[in-house]
Amino acid sequence: MFKVLVSDPISEDGIRALLDSDQVQVDQKTDLSPEALKETIPEYDGLIVRSQTKVTKEILECATKLKVIGRAGVGVDTIDLEAATEHGVIVVNAPNGNTISTCEHTFAMLMASARNIPQAHKTLTEGNWDRKTYKGVELKGKTLGIVGMGRIGTEVSKRAKAFQMNVIGYDPFLTEERASQIGIQKGDLDKIYENADFITVHTPLIKETHHLINKSAFQKMKKGVRIVNCARGGIIDETALLEAIDEGIVARAALDVFEEEPPTDNPLVGKPEVIVTPHLGASTSEAQLYVAEDVSQEILNILSDQPFQNAVNMPAVNDETRKILEPYYLLSEKLGEMMIQLAKQPPRHIKISYAGTLTDFNTELVTRTFVKGLLSHYLGEKVNIVNATHLAKQYGLSYSVENTTASLGYSGLISVTLTTDEGEYSAAGTLFDGLGPRIVHVNQYTIDIAPTDRLLYIQHTDVPGIIGHVGSLLGKHEINIATMQVGRKQVGGQAIMMLTIDKALSEEVLGELLQVDHIHSAKNIDL
Ligand SMILES: NC(=O)c1ccc[n+]([C@@H]2O[C@H](COP(=O)([O-])OP(=O)(O)OC[C@H]3O[C@@H](n4cnc5c(N)ncnc54)[C@H](O)[C@@H]3O)[C@@H](O)[C@H]2O)c1
Ligand SMILES: O=C(O)CC[C@@H](O)C(=O)O
């Protein structure tokens, strides 16, 4: 039975799939302090949060069983992603469920700022009938600048079109073609600042977007511009915004999000030109139902080892690709385990080449599985496909991946080279129809062996009688040989022998093997 903790208020209907599952016990504890969360988190396999719970490094360090964090929303800036990845915890979000609600909230803020609705409401409820102060502006014919043309930005642009606004969108991924499909102009920040009567931001808060709208940006804007932020506090520099209002550059600002939430002593809150809401963009019954449904389903999928879509620290693989690649996961993991045991020095670099049909797919999970196999031989269970490449980096182990045409006649081939300080080790594997994974090259010798539990790897000189010596020595020690493969590059030259055996050789038996003339090395390989 898996245990899932819901630590923020989440729609109960939305988590119905989890509540009804007989594989999962759900605990809803929405008032835990960080200390209490640290104490309770070790019990849980899954955690569902909105933006209230801060999933910090310290909490993740205590989360010894945790496999997945579900963010019922888009922004994952409240989760220490690096620490989650390091601890092998998959983080999934619900990127689509609150798009429309946030877009509609943005539009409500835009219209409220055009017509001074909250200010007018306030004065009237205070007993004043003031029609002069609150004269507004029309949206029709005005220019709206949208910074960030992702899901929400795009929906906002559609609604702005319906209001007959001119829209200029800026996004590093916005092409001319897409802009013209949506019916907007593609611009850059300067074009927006120069032309926009309204500006709305819809980017994530990342290093590049922190204080994107700053003092110098405000200096370039049209006097009387109205600005909306329903994305993240910190995209707009609040100090610069305050100055820009005081200087008469910004006529109105509408903010749903703040650099510090809840805002304390924030001079923007209460300023007559500023409309504020307490991070309500996604707060509708519909959005909360959708995001809770989406993360619940993802958590169920992850806990039951089914495909999932919205991991932010893992690549998504569709069902069809997964079916094709799944057998290669086993092969690549075994290749990784084998190669780390073949290497005599610590690896510095891994080069993975994919050939044949594998080049048609996103093989990132195959790569991660290889790295997992390689690291887990020494690091054990703490390595998984979420943290494998991250851990590799921590150990100074770099990797590169390429697609090649050198499939050597196999339908799909994975070739790997490990570079160490004293030389390279290579191996390649493929899938044989009906036979499953096969290792077909080791250190440039051609062989054909299934990567089963226990292998014996011998390097020797190609002379008559070696196979017999090995066979009788293992027989003497009652070690059964299931299969044996010999690979050589030329007659009488260096050769390798790979055996599938039923039990590992003891140090003594390995020592005896090394006494045999022309045998240079012998090694148990545990897979
Ligand atoms: N107020 C709320 O309650 C609420 C609700 C949902 C989402 N959000 C926030 O809204 C924002 C947008 O969400 P979304 O679902 O549209 O995300 P999205 O990922 O679909 O879109 C974000 C877009 O920003 C673009 N971008 C990144 N850096 C940029 C830059 N420097 N300049 C211009 N564009 C840049 C990206 O290319 C992307 O297209 C996020 O910050 C999200 O957390 C807030
Ligand atoms: O949980 C919320 O209400 C906020 C969600 C929103 O900020 C998001 O990024 O999805």
Side-chain angles (χ1 to χ4, degrees), residues 133-150:
T133 314
Y134 299 117
K135 189 167 78 179
V137 291
E138 285 190 350
L139 298 187
K140 183 182 172 191
K142 300 292 185 317
T143 296
L144 171 66
I146 305 181
V147 181
M149 283 292 296

Side-chain angles (χ1 to χ4, degrees), residues 185-371:
Q185 285 179 62
K186 171 182 174 314
D188 55 19
L189 289 173
D190 281 347
K191 186 165 176 184
I192 287 178
Y193 300 152
E194 207 178 299
N195 295 286
D197 305 293
F198 293 83
I199 296 177
T200 180
V201 293
H202 298 287
T203 69
L205 177 65
I206 46 178
K207 213 163 61 225
E208 291 74 21
T209 59
H210 181 251
H211 289 184
L212 180 70
I213 312 287
N214 52 22
K215 190 177 172 66
S216 87
F218 284 118
Q219 296 300 325
K220 294 177 189 166
M221 289 179 195
K222 270 169 92 167
K223 210 165 168 22
V225 66
R226 286 168 157 79
I227 189 148
V228 180
N229 185 0
C230 289
R232 277 292 177 273
I235 299 170
I236 300 176
D237 176 347
E238 289 179 352
T239 311
L241 173 61
L242 199 63
E243 278 171 24
I245 295 169
D246 291 339
E247 287 167 16
I249 301 171
V250 172
R252 294 285 180 273
L255 308 174
D256 184 44
V257 286
F258 303 87
E259 294 199 23
E260 185 198 337
E261 290 185 10
T264 46
D265 297 328
N266 186 329
L268 289 165
V269 178
K271 203 164 172 68
E273 296 87 349
V274 183
I275 297 168
V276 289
T277 48
H279 204 143
L280 289 183
S283 288
T284 62
S285 325
E286 293 85 353
Q288 287 315 306
L289 176 68
Y290 302 149
V291 293
E293 281 176 350
D294 291 352
V295 282
S296 299
Q297 195 50 56
E298 290 280 79
I299 286 180
L300 277 176
N301 289 347
I302 289 166
L303 293 179
S304 56
D305 207 18
Q306 293 301 306
F308 49 91
Q309 292 301 315
N310 296 315
V312 293
N313 55 352
M314 284 268 292
V317 171
N318 67 31
D319 242 3
E320 194 196 338
T321 306
R322 181 179 146 112
K323 267 191 207 118
I324 294 166
L325 292 185
E326 209 149 44
Y328 285 102
Y329 297 157
L330 177 66
L331 169 67
S332 61
E333 184 163 4
K334 295 288 179 195
L335 272 173
E337 287 176 35
M338 182 183 82
M339 290 193 73
I340 193 67
Q341 295 175 72
L342 288 180
K344 294 196 177 107
Q345 304 87 26
R348 295 246 165 264
H349 183 75
I350 305 166
K351 182 174 142 200
I352 305 182
S353 306
Y354 294 107
T357 46
L358 280 167
T359 59
D360 297 337
F361 299 98
N362 175 352
T363 43
E364 190 178 334
L365 283 182
V366 186
T367 301
R368 284 175 180 241
T369 316
F370 173 84
V371 180

Side-chain angles (χ1 to χ4, degrees), residues 107 110-111 114-115 136-144 159-167 197-198 222:
F107 230 83
L110 196 78
M111 296 186 75
R115 302 304 295 271
V137 291
E138 285 190 350
L139 298 187
K140 183 182 172 191
K142 300 292 185 317
T143 296
L144 171 66
R159 282 148 185 82
K161 296 284 300 166
F163 275 81
Q164 297 176 290
M165 299 184 85
N166 307 312
V167 180
D197 305 293
F198 293 83
K222 270 169 92 167

Side-chain angles (χ1 to χ4, degrees), residues 376-397:
S376 59
H377 186 72
Y378 292 112
L379 299 182
E381 283 189 354
K382 79 172 198 176
V383 190
N384 62 26
I385 51 171
V386 183
N387 63 10
T389 48
H390 183 90
L391 285 177
K393 244 188 252 163
Q394 281 186 351
Y395 282 94
L397 174 56

